[in-house]
């Protein structure tokens, strides 16, 4: 089965098996393959599988779509070539190729909490793929913005009070 393997640090090993004739890649959850990284556009590109080649069409991405470091609007990706979306690189591999060019024996997804040496030695690392790259909550950002607005209001009120005291 043909697949795209992410080779960029932080996402290494995330894999898209190309089963459907057409799939979109991007940062948004509604894509066929989500890459939650800032340099990847919400709907970055579309892939169409035909035989042993993948046709790629850029969907107006902000940071561009590249095949082997050549910027493209549309192009064909062949086995072993590198697709770059923003700063994320993926290698197009077939059944017997892995991101490094060596034979892959097992895909391992690391849990978010870290790795124990015993787990590495036993080869018992696994996590559900949909949980490994789950969207993070925006709650902390909302609290930070709310506190900033509150601080600004207090500052303006204090300045207004100080000005009325100086005039009176």
């Amino acid at each position: 089965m043909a697949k795209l393997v992410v080779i960029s640090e932080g996402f290494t090993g995330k894999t898209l098996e190309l089963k459907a004739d057409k799939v979109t890649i991007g940062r948004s959850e509604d894509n066929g393959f989500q890459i939650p990284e800032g340099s990847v556009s919400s709907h970055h590109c579309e892939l169409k599988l035909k035989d042993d080649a993948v046709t790629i069409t850029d969907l107006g991405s902000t940071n561009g779509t590249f095949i082997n470091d050549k910027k493209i609007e549309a192009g064909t990706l062949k086995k072993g070539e590198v697709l770059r979306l923003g700063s994320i690189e993926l290698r197009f591999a077939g059944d017997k190729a892995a991101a490094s060019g060596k034979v892959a024996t097992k895909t391992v997804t690391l849990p978010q909490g870290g790795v124990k040496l015993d787990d590495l030695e036993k080869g018992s690392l696994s996590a559900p793929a949909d949980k490994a790259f789950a969207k993070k909550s925006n709650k902390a950002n909302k609290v930070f913005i709310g506190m900033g607005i509150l601080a600004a209001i207090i500052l303006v009120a204090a300045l207004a009070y100080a000005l009325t005291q100086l005039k009176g």
Side-chain angles (χ1 to χ4, degrees), residues 24-37:
T24 58
I25 298 178
R27 193 175 63 243
S28 295
E29 292 178 2
D30 62 343
N31 287 289
F33 188 59
Q34 181 190 19
I35 303 175
E37 201 280 327

PDB file of all heavy atoms in Angstrom, residues 24-37:
ATOM      1  N   THR A  24      -7.697  15.285   1.192  1.00  0.00           N
ATOM      2  CA  THR A  24      -7.140  16.609   1.459  1.00  0.00           C
ATOM      3  C   THR A  24      -6.264  16.541   2.701  1.00  0.00           C
ATOM      4  O   THR A  24      -6.501  15.740   3.602  1.00  0.00           O
ATOM      5  CB  THR A  24      -8.239  17.672   1.684  1.00  0.00           C
ATOM      6  OG1 THR A  24      -9.064  17.274   2.762  1.00  0.00           O
ATOM      7  CG2 THR A  24      -9.056  17.884   0.426  1.00  0.00           C
ATOM      8  N   ILE A  25      -5.241  17.403   2.710  1.00  0.00           N
ATOM      9  CA  ILE A  25      -4.329  17.503   3.852  1.00  0.00           C
ATOM     10  C   ILE A  25      -4.352  18.940   4.331  1.00  0.00           C
ATOM     11  O   ILE A  25      -4.327  19.875   3.523  1.00  0.00           O
ATOM     12  CB  ILE A  25      -2.887  17.123   3.460  1.00  0.00           C
ATOM     13  CG1 ILE A  25      -2.812  15.669   2.996  1.00  0.00           C
ATOM     14  CG2 ILE A  25      -1.934  17.342   4.625  1.00  0.00           C
ATOM     15  CD1 ILE A  25      -1.429  15.249   2.539  1.00  0.00           C
ATOM     16  N   GLY A  26      -4.385  19.121   5.651  1.00  0.00           N
ATOM     17  CA  GLY A  26      -4.349  20.469   6.203  1.00  0.00           C
ATOM     18  C   GLY A  26      -4.429  20.442   7.713  1.00  0.00           C
ATOM     19  O   GLY A  26      -4.481  19.391   8.340  1.00  0.00           O
ATOM     20  N   ARG A  27      -4.456  21.646   8.284  1.00  0.00           N
ATOM     21  CA  ARG A  27      -4.456  21.803   9.732  1.00  0.00           C
ATOM     22  C   ARG A  27      -5.841  21.554  10.334  1.00  0.00           C
ATOM     23  O   ARG A  27      -5.963  21.120  11.469  1.00  0.00           O
ATOM     24  CB  ARG A  27      -3.982  23.221  10.072  1.00  0.00           C
ATOM     25  CG  ARG A  27      -3.628  23.456  11.494  1.00  0.00           C
ATOM     26  CD  ARG A  27      -3.054  24.850  11.728  1.00  0.00           C
ATOM     27  NE  ARG A  27      -4.017  25.890  11.429  1.00  0.00           N
ATOM     28  CZ  ARG A  27      -3.886  26.804  10.476  1.00  0.00           C
ATOM     29  NH1 ARG A  27      -2.802  26.846   9.738  1.00  0.00           N
ATOM     30  NH2 ARG A  27      -4.806  27.702  10.251  1.00  0.00           N
ATOM     31  N   SER A  28      -6.907  21.792   9.589  1.00  0.00           N
ATOM     32  CA  SER A  28      -8.279  21.628  10.093  1.00  0.00           C
ATOM     33  C   SER A  28      -8.644  20.164  10.255  1.00  0.00           C
ATOM     34  O   SER A  28      -8.153  19.303   9.526  1.00  0.00           O
ATOM     35  CB  SER A  28      -9.284  22.285   9.139  1.00  0.00           C
ATOM     36  OG  SER A  28      -9.094  23.661   9.114  1.00  0.00           O
ATOM     37  N   GLU A  29      -9.562  19.927  11.190  1.00  0.00           N
ATOM     38  CA  GLU A  29      -9.995  18.571  11.492  1.00  0.00           C
ATOM     39  C   GLU A  29     -10.797  17.928  10.362  1.00  0.00           C
ATOM     40  O   GLU A  29     -10.891  16.709  10.300  1.00  0.00           O
ATOM     41  CB  GLU A  29     -10.846  18.564  12.769  1.00  0.00           C
ATOM     42  CG  GLU A  29     -10.052  18.886  14.007  1.00  0.00           C
ATOM     43  CD  GLU A  29     -10.924  18.928  15.256  1.00  0.00           C
ATOM     44  OE1 GLU A  29     -12.132  18.672  15.169  1.00  0.00           O
ATOM     45  OE2 GLU A  29     -10.369  19.235  16.323  1.00  0.00           O
ATOM     46  N   ASP A  30     -11.393  18.729   9.470  1.00  0.00           N
ATOM     47  CA  ASP A  30     -12.236  18.164   8.426  1.00  0.00           C
ATOM     48  C   ASP A  30     -11.454  17.635   7.220  1.00  0.00           C
ATOM     49  O   ASP A  30     -12.047  17.164   6.247  1.00  0.00           O
ATOM     50  CB  ASP A  30     -13.294  19.177   7.970  1.00  0.00           C
ATOM     51  CG  ASP A  30     -12.693  20.440   7.357  1.00  0.00           C
ATOM     52  OD1 ASP A  30     -11.490  20.697   7.560  1.00  0.00           O
ATOM     53  OD2 ASP A  30     -13.434  21.174   6.678  1.00  0.00           O
ATOM     54  N   ASN A  31     -10.124  17.664   7.284  1.00  0.00           N
ATOM     55  CA  ASN A  31      -9.297  17.092   6.218  1.00  0.00           C
ATOM     56  C   ASN A  31      -9.209  15.577   6.378  1.00  0.00           C
ATOM     57  O   ASN A  31      -9.359  15.056   7.480  1.00  0.00           O
ATOM     58  CB  ASN A  31      -7.878  17.680   6.265  1.00  0.00           C
ATOM     59  CG  ASN A  31      -7.845  19.107   5.787  1.00  0.00           C
ATOM     60  OD1 ASN A  31      -8.002  19.376   4.611  1.00  0.00           O
ATOM     61  ND2 ASN A  31      -7.669  20.035   6.719  1.00  0.00           N
ATOM     62  N   GLY A  32      -8.903  14.893   5.284  1.00  0.00           N
ATOM     63  CA  GLY A  32      -8.687  13.455   5.352  1.00  0.00           C
ATOM     64  C   GLY A  32      -7.446  13.119   6.156  1.00  0.00           C
ATOM     65  O   GLY A  32      -7.353  12.060   6.770  1.00  0.00           O
ATOM     66  N   PHE A  33      -6.463  14.028   6.151  1.00  0.00           N
ATOM     67  CA  PHE A  33      -5.226  13.848   6.918  1.00  0.00           C
ATOM     68  C   PHE A  33      -4.911  15.182   7.570  1.00  0.00           C
ATOM     69  O   PHE A  33      -4.594  16.157   6.893  1.00  0.00           O
ATOM     70  CB  PHE A  33      -4.093  13.409   5.978  1.00  0.00           C
ATOM     71  CG  PHE A  33      -2.826  13.000   6.688  1.00  0.00           C
ATOM     72  CD1 PHE A  33      -2.813  11.969   7.610  1.00  0.00           C
ATOM     73  CD2 PHE A  33      -1.624  13.636   6.403  1.00  0.00           C
ATOM     74  CE1 PHE A  33      -1.638  11.585   8.244  1.00  0.00           C
ATOM     75  CE2 PHE A  33      -0.447  13.253   7.022  1.00  0.00           C
ATOM     76  CZ  PHE A  33      -0.451  12.226   7.944  1.00  0.00           C
ATOM     77  N   GLN A  34      -5.038  15.237   8.894  1.00  0.00           N
ATOM     78  CA  GLN A  34      -4.810  16.473   9.639  1.00  0.00           C
ATOM     79  C   GLN A  34      -3.383  16.546  10.138  1.00  0.00           C
ATOM     80  O   GLN A  34      -2.866  15.589  10.711  1.00  0.00           O
ATOM     81  CB  GLN A  34      -5.768  16.565  10.823  1.00  0.00           C
ATOM     82  CG  GLN A  34      -5.582  17.848  11.608  1.00  0.00           C
ATOM     83  CD  GLN A  34      -6.338  17.856  12.922  1.00  0.00           C
ATOM     84  OE1 GLN A  34      -6.718  16.819  13.440  1.00  0.00           O
ATOM     85  NE2 GLN A  34      -6.519  19.033  13.482  1.00  0.00           N
ATOM     86  N   ILE A  35      -2.736  17.695   9.901  1.00  0.00           N
ATOM     87  CA  ILE A  35      -1.413  17.971  10.459  1.00  0.00           C
ATOM     88  C   ILE A  35      -1.541  19.273  11.255  1.00  0.00           C
ATOM     89  O   ILE A  35      -1.524  20.355  10.683  1.00  0.00           O
ATOM     90  CB  ILE A  35      -0.341  18.112   9.354  1.00  0.00           C
ATOM     91  CG1 ILE A  35      -0.286  16.853   8.491  1.00  0.00           C
ATOM     92  CG2 ILE A  35       1.022  18.412   9.978  1.00  0.00           C
ATOM     93  CD1 ILE A  35       0.658  16.946   7.316  1.00  0.00           C
ATOM     94  N   PRO A  36      -1.702  19.162  12.581  1.00  0.00           N
ATOM     95  CA  PRO A  36      -1.920  20.351  13.411  1.00  0.00           C
ATOM     96  C   PRO A  36      -0.626  21.114  13.677  1.00  0.00           C
ATOM     97  O   PRO A  36      -0.048  21.037  14.743  1.00  0.00           O
ATOM     98  CB  PRO A  36      -2.517  19.771  14.694  1.00  0.00           C
ATOM     99  CG  PRO A  36      -1.970  18.384  14.769  1.00  0.00           C
ATOM    100  CD  PRO A  36      -1.785  17.930  13.351  1.00  0.00           C
ATOM    101  N   GLU A  37      -0.177  21.850  12.678  1.00  0.00           N
ATOM    102  CA  GLU A  37       1.077  22.600  12.780  1.00  0.00           C
ATOM    103  C   GLU A  37       0.856  23.940  12.098  1.00  0.00           C
ATOM    104  O   GLU A  37       0.236  24.012  11.037  1.00  0.00           O
ATOM    105  CB  GLU A  37       2.204  21.806  12.103  1.00  0.00           C
ATOM    106  CG  GLU A  37       3.605  22.187  12.546  1.00  0.00           C
ATOM    107  CD  GLU A  37       4.144  23.444  11.873  1.00  0.00           C
ATOM    108  OE1 GLU A  37       3.802  23.683  10.705  1.00  0.00           O
ATOM    109  OE2 GLU A  37       4.886  24.186  12.524  1.00  0.00           O
TER     110      GLU A  37
END
